[in-house]
Amino acid sequence: MNVTLHGLNFQKEFVPYIEQLLSVLHHHGAKIFFTEPFHKFFKKTGAKSPDFEVLSKSKHLQTMDFVISVGGDGTFLDTVSWVGANQIPILGINTGRLGFLATIAKEEVEKAIQVLFEKHYTIEDRTLIGLETNKSLFNGITYGLNEFTIHKRDTSSMVTVHTYIDGEYLNSYWADGLIVSTPTGSTGYSLSCGGPLITPRAKNFVLTPVSPHNLNVRPMIVPDDCRISFDIEGRSKKFLVSLDSRSTAVSAGIKLTVRKEDFVAKLVKFNDYNFFDTLRQKLNWGLDMRN
């Protein structure tokens, strides 16, 4: 089995767990690869490892059986953008705080790898949102797992986002911004702005305004087979657009359209995983002393 580890950073206190992860993988006969960012940080920590190879993004990626994301949910999102259309199954080891996407706790590393090699898991396809634009953005990585966002820049006045569904005018949002969320992203930024929770396998996107200037504007659920396009106006000539944790400034007049991406993110889910358990445990959803 070929396994790549990807991560951006982790605290020194997690080094023993990382070394345990590598030892268990080696014990099961896995061929271990590091991405360049993970290798760079791994060396700084002074951690020790059995034999491994450093994997560049363009080399041998298609031969990987799994990619293990080592970090928090932000690292997991970065792993999805790194894997891209190769659709390699991703397992998240959580060294962060919440761990909504990276669900494996550091204390469960050995058990998780054992279960992985025993094949007691499923692969869950997660919809990605793709961006089409007349400008080159995000170094060509124009897709995200959680959301696409249009937002005002810094402390400038609110923006007006004219929004169209399959070419038909929907609404002009006078707001600080607008989020288009996938089902996976419904538990993220969209949720904090009043958007609904959606189960991961739902075939929908959610349009959630950020601090709208109209009391009667509410989040809206639309099918994920539609194309959503935007024209942006505002006093500022620059606005921010983001895909997950990647953000860049754009000028007024840019053409922006989002749609369901042609490929998916494949997440490894162990057989005892339950989305509703995660909602209750991680977000305290439904917390009530009567329950």
Side-chain angles (χ1 to χ4, degrees):
M1 182 183 290
N2 294 332
V3 179
T4 292
L5 273 65
H6 177 66
L8 303 176
N9 59 68
F10 49 86
Q11 301 296 324
K12 274 215 165 186
E13 64 205 65
F14 290 104
V15 167
Y17 299 100
I18 304 302
E19 292 178 335
Q20 181 188 29
L21 168 63
L22 294 166
S23 175
V24 174
L25 285 170
H26 187 262
H27 173 76
H28 284 279
K31 190 170 184 181
I32 302 170
F33 296 81
F34 289 177
T35 64
E36 291 173 340
F38 184 82
H39 180 236
K40 182 178 179 180
F41 193 81
F42 186 84
K43 287 195 302 182
K44 287 183 179 179
T45 65
K48 299 177 181 178
S49 169
D51 293 339
F52 64 87
E53 293 183 31
V54 179
L55 182 76
S56 66
K57 187 171 183 179
S58 60
K59 182 182 178 183
H60 304 316
L61 184 57
Q62 296 85 353
T63 66
M64 293 300 110
D65 295 295
F66 295 96
V67 174
I68 297 180
S69 172
V70 181
D73 288 347
T75 300
F76 196 96
L77 293 173
D78 189 74
T79 304
V80 169
S81 68
W82 189 83
V83 169
N86 292 284
Q87 300 188 116
I88 302 164
I90 303 170
L91 175 67
I93 304 293
N94 181 33
T95 65
R97 294 184 294 271
L98 185 61
F100 204 89
L101 294 170
T103 56
I104 305 302
K106 59 184 184 297
E107 296 85 4
E108 300 173 344
V109 164
E110 184 171 358
K111 176 185 174 183
I113 299 305
Q114 179 70 34
V115 170
L116 188 69
F117 276 84
E118 291 174 352
K119 301 185 183 301
H120 294 162
Y121 61 84
T122 57
I123 302 296
E124 190 171 272
D125 290 352
R126 295 289 183 93
T127 296
L128 300 173
I129 190 166
L131 171 66
E132 297 176 355
T133 175
N134 60 340
K135 302 287 186 181
S136 178
L137 299 177
F138 304 113
N139 294 319
I141 305 176
T142 53
Y143 52 86
L145 177 62
N146 270 2
E147 72 269 316
F148 168 75
T149 305
I150 299 168
H151 207 280
K152 71 175 187 177
R153 190 179 184 189
D154 302 325
T155 57
S156 60
S157 60
M158 63 183 172
V159 296
T160 308
V161 184
H162 306 293
T163 306
Y164 303 83
I165 305 291
D166 290 331
E168 297 289 335
Y169 175 65
L170 171 66
N171 187 35
S172 294
Y173 292 91
W174 296 72
D176 282 357
L178 181 66
I179 305 164
V180 185
S181 167
T182 66
T184 301
S186 70
T187 57
Y189 189 18
S190 175
L191 178 67
S192 70
C193 294
L197 292 169
I198 301 180
T199 55
R201 288 180 290 177
K203 306 298 183 182
N204 302 110
F205 288 138
V206 183
L207 279 74
T208 307
V210 181
S211 302
H213 203 247
N214 309 79
L215 294 178
N216 59 351
V217 172
R218 294 291 182 267
M220 184 175 184
I221 298 173
V222 298
D224 67 4
D225 60 357
C226 67
R227 296 171 63 87
I228 310 168
S229 53
F230 314 94
D231 291 323
I232 316 171
E233 287 186 62
R235 293 179 182 174
S236 173
K237 299 302 180 184
K238 290 282 188 177
F239 313 99
L240 292 178
V241 294
S242 64
L243 279 166
D244 292 344
S245 57
R246 292 165 285 132
S247 183
T248 189
V250 297
S251 300
I254 190 172
K255 301 297 182 184
L256 300 166
T257 299
V258 294
R259 56 169 177 78
K260 181 170 66 174
E261 188 51 88
D262 296 331
F263 51 89
V264 298
K266 292 185 174 292
L267 277 59
V268 177
K269 295 300 177 187
F270 294 141
N271 292 344
D272 61 353
Y273 168 81
N274 183 284
F275 174 72
F276 304 115
D277 289 343
T278 303
L279 281 183
R280 291 191 298 269
Q281 295 166 9
K282 301 288 187 178
L283 297 183
N284 291 329
W285 181 78
L287 182 65
D288 190 313
M289 64 183 297
R290 295 171 295 181
N291 293 332

